[in-house]
PDB file of all heavy atoms in Angstrom:
ATOM      1  N   TYR A  19      29.634  11.376 -22.611  1.00 54.00           N
ATOM      2  CA  TYR A  19      28.717  10.687 -21.727  1.00 54.00           C
ATOM      3  C   TYR A  19      27.509  10.182 -22.495  1.00 54.00           C
ATOM      4  O   TYR A  19      27.069   9.054 -22.363  1.00 54.00           O
ATOM      5  CB  TYR A  19      28.271  11.632 -20.610  1.00 54.00           C
ATOM      6  CG  TYR A  19      27.246  11.033 -19.667  1.00 54.00           C
ATOM      7  CD1 TYR A  19      27.629  10.158 -18.681  1.00 54.00           C
ATOM      8  CD2 TYR A  19      25.888  11.378 -19.791  1.00 54.00           C
ATOM      9  CE1 TYR A  19      26.694   9.607 -17.817  1.00 54.00           C
ATOM     10  CE2 TYR A  19      24.987  10.830 -18.936  1.00 54.00           C
ATOM     11  CZ  TYR A  19      25.361   9.951 -17.940  1.00 54.00           C
ATOM     12  OH  TYR A  19      24.417   9.416 -17.118  1.00 54.00           O
ATOM     13  N   THR A  20      26.960  11.040 -23.357  1.00 53.00           N
ATOM     14  CA  THR A  20      25.786  10.656 -24.138  1.00 53.00           C
ATOM     15  C   THR A  20      26.084   9.531 -25.116  1.00 53.00           C
ATOM     16  O   THR A  20      25.359   8.565 -25.203  1.00 53.00           O
ATOM     17  CB  THR A  20      25.283  11.881 -24.927  1.00 53.00           C
ATOM     18  OG1 THR A  20      24.972  12.930 -24.006  1.00 53.00           O
ATOM     19  CG2 THR A  20      24.043  11.542 -25.725  1.00 53.00           C
ATOM     20  N   PHE A  21      27.208   9.641 -25.826  1.00 49.00           N
ATOM     21  CA  PHE A  21      27.514   8.637 -26.837  1.00 49.00           C
ATOM     22  C   PHE A  21      28.044   7.339 -26.249  1.00 49.00           C
ATOM     23  O   PHE A  21      28.070   6.321 -26.917  1.00 49.00           O
ATOM     24  CB  PHE A  21      28.535   9.187 -27.829  1.00 49.00           C
ATOM     25  CG  PHE A  21      27.957  10.254 -28.722  1.00 49.00           C
ATOM     26  CD1 PHE A  21      28.567  11.480 -28.808  1.00 49.00           C
ATOM     27  CD2 PHE A  21      26.783  10.032 -29.440  1.00 49.00           C
ATOM     28  CE1 PHE A  21      28.041  12.479 -29.612  1.00 49.00           C
ATOM     29  CE2 PHE A  21      26.248  11.013 -30.229  1.00 49.00           C
ATOM     30  CZ  PHE A  21      26.876  12.238 -30.317  1.00 49.00           C
ATOM     31  N   SER A  22      28.438   7.359 -24.985  1.00 48.00           N
ATOM     32  CA  SER A  22      28.934   6.106 -24.361  1.00 48.00           C
ATOM     33  C   SER A  22      27.798   5.145 -24.053  1.00 48.00           C
ATOM     34  O   SER A  22      28.051   4.015 -23.672  1.00 48.00           O
ATOM     35  CB  SER A  22      29.727   6.439 -23.072  1.00 48.00           C
ATOM     36  OG  SER A  22      28.824   6.868 -22.066  1.00 48.00           O
ATOM     37  N   GLY A  23      26.587   5.608 -24.195  1.00 47.00           N
ATOM     38  CA  GLY A  23      25.471   4.732 -23.930  1.00 47.00           C
ATOM     39  C   GLY A  23      25.143   4.671 -22.459  1.00 47.00           C
ATOM     40  O   GLY A  23      24.429   3.790 -21.999  1.00 47.00           O
ATOM     41  N   ALA A  24      25.670   5.599 -21.680  1.00 44.00           N
ATOM     42  CA  ALA A  24      25.435   5.599 -20.245  1.00 44.00           C
ATOM     43  C   ALA A  24      23.950   5.847 -20.001  1.00 44.00           C
ATOM     44  O   ALA A  24      23.346   6.696 -20.603  1.00 44.00           O
ATOM     45  CB  ALA A  24      26.278   6.681 -19.580  1.00 44.00           C
ATOM     46  N   GLN A  25      23.399   5.055 -19.119  1.00 42.00           N
ATOM     47  CA  GLN A  25      22.001   5.195 -18.779  1.00 42.00           C
ATOM     48  C   GLN A  25      21.877   5.547 -17.301  1.00 42.00           C
ATOM     49  O   GLN A  25      22.602   5.014 -16.471  1.00 42.00           O
ATOM     50  CB  GLN A  25      21.266   3.826 -19.009  1.00 42.00           C
ATOM     51  CG  GLN A  25      21.262   3.386 -20.461  1.00 42.00           C
ATOM     52  CD  GLN A  25      20.414   4.288 -21.316  1.00 42.00           C
ATOM     53  OE1 GLN A  25      19.376   4.731 -20.921  1.00 42.00           O
ATOM     54  NE2 GLN A  25      20.918   4.619 -22.507  1.00 42.00           N
ATOM     55  N   PRO A  26      20.966   6.441 -16.964  1.00 46.00           N
ATOM     56  CA  PRO A  26      20.766   6.728 -15.548  1.00 46.00           C
ATOM     57  C   PRO A  26      20.149   5.514 -14.881  1.00 46.00           C
ATOM     58  O   PRO A  26      19.514   4.684 -15.546  1.00 46.00           O
ATOM     59  CB  PRO A  26      19.778   7.917 -15.584  1.00 46.00           C
ATOM     60  CG  PRO A  26      19.097   7.802 -16.906  1.00 46.00           C
ATOM     61  CD  PRO A  26      20.070   7.184 -17.838  1.00 46.00           C
ATOM     62  N   PRO A  27      20.279   5.401 -13.560  1.00 46.00           N
ATOM     63  CA  PRO A  27      19.687   4.296 -12.884  1.00 46.00           C
ATOM     64  C   PRO A  27      18.185   4.219 -13.097  1.00 46.00           C
ATOM     65  O   PRO A  27      17.531   5.275 -13.226  1.00 46.00           O
ATOM     66  CB  PRO A  27      19.995   4.538 -11.398  1.00 46.00           C
ATOM     67  CG  PRO A  27      21.135   5.500 -11.410  1.00 46.00           C
ATOM     68  CD  PRO A  27      21.017   6.269 -12.675  1.00 46.00           C
ATOM     69  N   ALA A  28      17.637   3.032 -13.172  1.00 45.00           N
ATOM     70  CA  ALA A  28      16.240   2.872 -13.382  1.00 45.00           C
ATOM     71  C   ALA A  28      15.474   3.451 -12.188  1.00 45.00           C
ATOM     72  O   ALA A  28      15.948   3.443 -11.067  1.00 45.00           O
ATOM     73  CB  ALA A  28      15.865   1.411 -13.533  1.00 45.00           C
ATOM     74  N   ARG A  29      14.327   3.983 -12.464  1.00 44.00           N
ATOM     75  CA  ARG A  29      13.516   4.586 -11.415  1.00 44.00           C
ATOM     76  C   ARG A  29      12.642   3.502 -10.801  1.00 44.00           C
ATOM     77  O   ARG A  29      12.089   2.658 -11.467  1.00 44.00           O
ATOM     78  CB  ARG A  29      12.637   5.702 -11.967  1.00 44.00           C
ATOM     79  CG  ARG A  29      13.498   6.789 -12.562  1.00 44.00           C
ATOM     80  CD  ARG A  29      13.094   8.101 -12.044  1.00 44.00           C
ATOM     81  NE  ARG A  29      13.970   9.126 -12.609  1.00 44.00           N
ATOM     82  CZ  ARG A  29      14.636   9.953 -11.870  1.00 44.00           C
ATOM     83  NH1 ARG A  29      14.587   9.870 -10.570  1.00 44.00           N
ATOM     84  NH2 ARG A  29      15.386  10.851 -12.406  1.00 44.00           N
ATOM     85  N   GLY A  30      12.529   3.571  -9.499  1.00 42.00           N
ATOM     86  CA  GLY A  30      11.703   2.617  -8.770  1.00 42.00           C
ATOM     87  C   GLY A  30      10.287   3.132  -8.582  1.00 42.00           C
ATOM     88  O   GLY A  30       9.852   4.008  -9.287  1.00 42.00           O
ATOM     89  N   PRO A  31       9.610   2.617  -7.571  1.00 39.00           N
ATOM     90  CA  PRO A  31       8.262   3.116  -7.302  1.00 39.00           C
ATOM     91  C   PRO A  31       8.278   4.588  -6.982  1.00 39.00           C
ATOM     92  O   PRO A  31       9.192   5.111  -6.365  1.00 39.00           O
ATOM     93  CB  PRO A  31       7.838   2.312  -6.035  1.00 39.00           C
ATOM     94  CG  PRO A  31       8.865   1.279  -5.817  1.00 39.00           C
ATOM     95  CD  PRO A  31      10.041   1.585  -6.676  1.00 39.00           C
TER      96      PRO A  31
END
Side-chain angles (χ1 to χ4, degrees):
Y19 176 79
T20 302
F21 291 125
S22 71
Q25 297 292 320
R29 299 231 179 235

